[in-house]
Amino acid sequence: MRSNISMLTTLITLLGLQLPLLAQHTRYKLIDLGTFGGPSSYIAPSEDGGPGNPTRALTNNGVVVGAASTDMLDPFSQECDDCFAQHAFQWQQGVLTDLGTLGGNNSDLTSVAHWINDRGWVAGFSQTGGVDSFTGAPAGHPVLWENGEIFDLGTLGEEFATATALNNTGQVVGFSFDGVPDPISPFFNPTESRAFLWHSGVMQDLGTLGGVDAGAFAINEAGQVAGISATNTTPNDTTGIPTVHPFLWDRGRMIDLGSLGGTLSGVDGPTILLNNRGQVAGTSTLAGDTTYHPFLWGHGVMRDLGTLGGDTGFVTWITDAGDVMGTADLPGPSGSQNHHAFLWRNGVMTDLGTLGSTSHAEGINSQGQIVGRSTPIGSPIQHAFLWEHGGPMVDLNTLIPANSSLVLEEGGNINDRGEIAGRGVPRGCDDVDACGHAFILIPCDNAVTCETNIDVTTAGIQNNAALINRPSTTSTQAPRTEMQILSAWRARLSQRYHIRGLGAWPRD
């Protein structure tokens, strides 16, 4: 006997009627990446809850990088007496590898992985065990993990620097404090910050746009670098710091990309992104510096991408096709506006919706699948979401086994295979920053596969990163002058690396 559904389908076909199809979504196997004995793990930069500068923490081969707490107390913590040291990790095919620190694998120093390229090389940061004599804060250097070895990339003169991104040729970018006194704004830091490009053992100072401070945050496969730089040394009345513009560094020349009328670009993170077509996306204040909008720069023109009707917005990623995603305010009274994730494509900004209230977009793949976080109505925490095929937004917690031991709180990265890396809350954890776990979701071949793998898989642990300490030589391109430190990334570092200083972006 034919089922009622089958008979109804036949009738609809015969009558030529068209009804909307019910959306079908892939289900996922959840893998809890665990920790190194401490309470938490994450994929950078999600630990501070803000938009931050995006990182690539997941490759198309399913390799995940981030940081996990150890069972060793952090001897340098200025935030609490029981903070744990964190080590950078790499997860691949069920094995969680401790990438170690510049003090070795069993050290109580902290390290963090920020970016992984297609070759599996990882750029990030490690404490050295020393103290920065200029600030009294724990010393730290940018590092590159390559084929099981950790390389100290050195600094531009001071004992604090970090790597932010790298490309497939092994070029690494970031910023370094240089030890040159800053008489303009010692409130933030007593020394200058400079953008660097490191390659084959040489760290190059990329110079500035006329001020004394800069930082690099993105690099593409052509070796172009994007970042932000002070353009002068005169503090503005609206911000208290000199004017800051985004830049594109191309073959030895730093190009000033301008602004949307304000004096501060790279707010909220900072967030500066670069694709392989040389397009730069970021965030800039408007005239008066009271609001900020996302922008897309290309072919010498900076375009204001606007908002969803409210005051502010910021970007979180750009694709090689020039699609931009981020978060923007909806209409409402200033200061109380709701904000939603958006996708900007071909001049049109699409509201991705929410799971109930606010939403933030965080990762996108080449198929246009977008992941992020949103707060369901009545939920005390945010939930990870997936948006695809024109929506609507779907709670990823509905696409994993119901008895999973993690509540998926954040979807940070998604690769072209549809795998998703993010962070979740274990049962009994009420603070994702204190006890959240990194995870990866792997699409199931069929529903049976998902339901028969209902247990969270905790990865095995290896410790195999060898210490290779090869100090970099330094190439200085521009003269160093008096500086004003850029508050946006100082605030970010003060949170991540336990440096006393400015606050962080508040979580919703």
Side-chain angles (χ1 to χ4, degrees), residues 340-365:
H340 286 190
F342 72 79
L343 173 65
W344 185 93
R345 175 180 289 163
N346 297 325
V348 177
M349 180 177 285
T350 299
D351 184 342
L352 304 188
T354 74
L355 298 176
S357 57
T358 61
S359 61
H360 296 276
E362 296 184 313
I364 186 171
N365 64 11

Side-chain angles (χ1 to χ4, degrees), residues 88-103:
F89 73 73
Q90 175 178 298
W91 181 92
Q92 184 174 12
Q93 297 180 342
V95 177
L96 187 70
T97 299
D98 186 340
L99 296 180
T101 73
L102 290 175

Side-chain angles (χ1 to χ4, degrees), residues 99-171:
L99 296 180
T101 73
L102 290 175
N105 288 48
N106 298 317
S107 168
D108 57 5
L109 301 179
T110 283
S111 63
V112 180
H114 291 157
W115 198 282
I116 182 169
N117 68 12
D118 293 334
R119 303 170 72 176
W121 298 358
V122 181
F125 166 89
S126 173
Q127 291 177 336
T128 65
V131 175
D132 184 345
S133 61
F134 293 90
T135 64
H141 286 190
V143 292
L144 176 66
W145 287 277
E146 178 184 339
N147 301 324
E149 299 176 337
I150 181 172
F151 295 87
D152 185 344
L153 306 189
T155 74
L156 291 173
E158 194 175 329
E159 285 303 302
F160 195 95
T162 189
T164 54
L166 80 159
N167 62 15
N168 290 328
T169 64
Q171 293 175 299

Side-chain angles (χ1 to χ4, degrees), residues 31 37 46 155 188 191 197 227 253 262 271 284 300 376 391 395 422 424 456-457 489:
I31 300 178
S46 57
T155 74
F188 293 118
T191 56
L197 170 64
R253 184 168 68 100
T271 304
S284 171
D395 189 335
V456 174
T457 301
W489 74 74

Side-chain angles (χ1 to χ4, degrees), residues 412-493:
N413 282 199
I414 182 168
N415 66 15
D416 290 344
R417 302 197 306 199
E419 296 165 333
I420 300 168
R423 186 173 57 161
V425 180
R427 305 297 178 184
C429 172
D430 60 1
D431 184 345
V432 69
D433 294 314
C435 46
H437 283 195
F439 68 78
I440 183 170
L441 298 182
I442 300 177
C444 296
D445 295 332
N446 55 65
V448 174
T449 303
C450 284
E451 296 304 323
T452 56
N453 289 274
I454 59 176
D455 293 330
V456 174
T457 301
T458 300
I461 297 176
Q462 290 184 348
N463 294 291
N464 65 358
L467 173 62
I468 306 295
N469 192 342
R470 299 177 182 172
S472 302
T473 58
T474 301
S475 169
T476 302
Q477 176 174 312
R480 298 173 181 170
T481 59
E482 296 176 349
M483 67 83 72
Q484 158 57 39
I485 194 62
L486 302 178
S487 62
W489 74 74
R490 293 286 186 175
R492 184 168 182 75
L493 287 175

Side-chain angles (χ1 to χ4, degrees), residues 238-256:
T238 53
T239 64
I241 64 173
T243 298
V244 178
H245 282 181
F247 70 77
L248 177 68
W249 185 90
D250 187 14
R251 292 170 291 187
R253 184 168 68 100
M254 185 177 282
I255 303 168
D256 188 337

